[in-house]
Amino acid sequence: MGTALARAWRAAGHPLTVWNRTPARAAALAAEGAQVADTAAEAVAANTLIVVCLLDDASVADALNGIDLTGKDLVNLTTGNPAQARDRAAWARERGARYLDGGIMAVPPMIGVPEAGGYVFYSGSRDLFEQHHKTLGVPAGTHYTGEDDGFAALHDVALLSAMYGMFAGAAHAFALIRKEDIDPTAFAPLLADWLVAMAPAVHQTADQLRSGDYTKGVVSRLAMQVAGTPTFLSTAEQQGVSPELLSPYFALMRRRLAEGSGEEDLTGVIDLLVR
């Protein structure tokens, strides 16, 4: 990802100094016009805007340990959790730097390709974001989430968590047809279209959460959906498929029905998850 970001900035004509823990990777950018620093300290000293994209938060600490950050604008695009982002922001400010945390919603081939739709969540110093907005927007779109340093990471993980939930549902769907004479490549478009059709339901969920009225606009009542869950479980059993991806959610649905109202939507499950 770091290489993809660097190439996007170079392609746009930005002067660039790079450093990589694996020297060969940084050297490859020299042919594209980047200055290659021998150490992280040299790279930091070369410019005011410092963008870090490493494996994890521990790697950031290791790479920047003992380096003078006074007067620097540190943008950390390393994937991490909200607590790490807030701690890293405090750490940077104690060393005289402004700080912006980022969560990249893209894979490397999407970087520098506007039509690919990739973007980066940013949180932290609003002044820093506004000052460097155009530069930060070169590799991918930008979405500022607020001055709480942990919000970019929180948005990042929230969206990716939803993605994995979708992948789990798709895995179960493919497992159900796995042993049958059904071409998965013919089934895939049906599955994709169905998921797209269901996606707008998140807007109703959000509206219900904001209003506190979980019966607002309900089409499929919780009681009805809970009544239908045995069909999904028996079908899985008949097809020789483990229900382990569905059972936890169904258990939450039954629990919410027992504690709440059968006239609700599925939104009440969210409150069961919040401790």
Side-chain angles (χ1 to χ4, degrees):
M1 179 60 77
T3 298
L5 293 167
R7 284 185 169 139
W9 278 310
R10 276 305 305 145
H14 288 272
L16 192 70
T17 300
V18 298
W19 173 81
N20 196 298
R21 292 177 299 169
T22 305
R25 294 180 181 176
L29 294 168
E32 300 174 33
Q35 296 295 315
V36 178
D38 292 329
T39 65
E42 289 180 16
V44 170
N47 293 289
T48 299
L49 178 60
I50 312 301
V51 180
V52 181
C53 187
L54 295 171
L55 176 64
D56 53 23
D57 183 68
S59 302
V60 175
D62 183 62
L64 298 180
N65 183 42
I67 294 177
D68 184 11
L69 297 176
T70 305
K72 301 297 182 179
D73 290 339
L74 181 61
V75 179
N76 184 13
L77 301 185
T78 302
T79 299
N81 63 48
Q84 288 173 328
R86 291 169 183 137
D87 289 345
R88 187 59 55 201
W91 175 91
R93 289 169 188 141
E94 288 172 358
R95 288 158 179 76
R98 293 192 299 176
Y99 184 87
L100 202 61
D101 202 75
I104 303 176
M105 303 305 298
V107 292
M110 298 170 68
I111 299 299
V113 185
E115 59 271 23
Y119 60 93
V120 181
F121 286 123
Y122 289 99
S123 61
S125 171
R126 182 180 295 275
D127 289 342
L128 190 160
F129 177 76
E130 291 179 351
Q131 179 179 339
H132 297 293
H133 176 258
K134 290 184 178 179
T135 299
L136 296 175
V138 168
T142 61
H143 189 111
Y144 182 71
T145 60
E147 298 206 6
D148 186 310
D149 300 294
F151 275 9
L154 183 57
H155 279 70
D156 179 28
V157 173
L159 265 60
L160 291 175
S161 296
M163 177 193 74
Y164 281 114
M166 180 191 71
F167 287 166
H172 185 85
F174 277 118
L176 288 175
I177 69 164
R178 187 69 173 136
K179 295 180 180 179
E180 304 291 350
D181 187 18
I182 298 175
D183 183 352
T185 63
F187 180 74
L190 300 174
L191 178 57
D193 288 348
W194 177 249
L195 292 175
V196 169
M198 292 298 100
V202 301
H203 298 295
Q204 179 165 304
T205 300
D207 185 51
Q208 291 174 349
L209 286 170
R210 184 166 61 179
S211 70
D213 182 1
Y214 297 171
T215 66
K216 183 179 180 180
V218 173
V219 175
S220 299
R221 300 181 302 118
L222 175 63
M224 183 200 74
Q225 296 203 51
V226 168
T229 57
T231 297
F232 296 93
L233 297 174
S234 63
T235 300
E237 183 178 3
Q238 291 165 18
Q239 296 301 112
V241 173
S242 169
E244 60 193 290
L245 293 175
L246 294 183
S247 293
Y249 190 66
F250 287 169
L252 285 168
M253 289 168 59
R254 291 192 298 271
R255 181 176 151 201
R256 180 62 188 179
L257 180 60
E259 297 179 4
S261 167
E263 301 301 313
E264 293 180 355
D265 211 329
L266 296 173
T267 304
V269 167
I270 296 168
D271 290 340
L272 297 181
L273 295 174
V274 179
R275 294 181 290 181

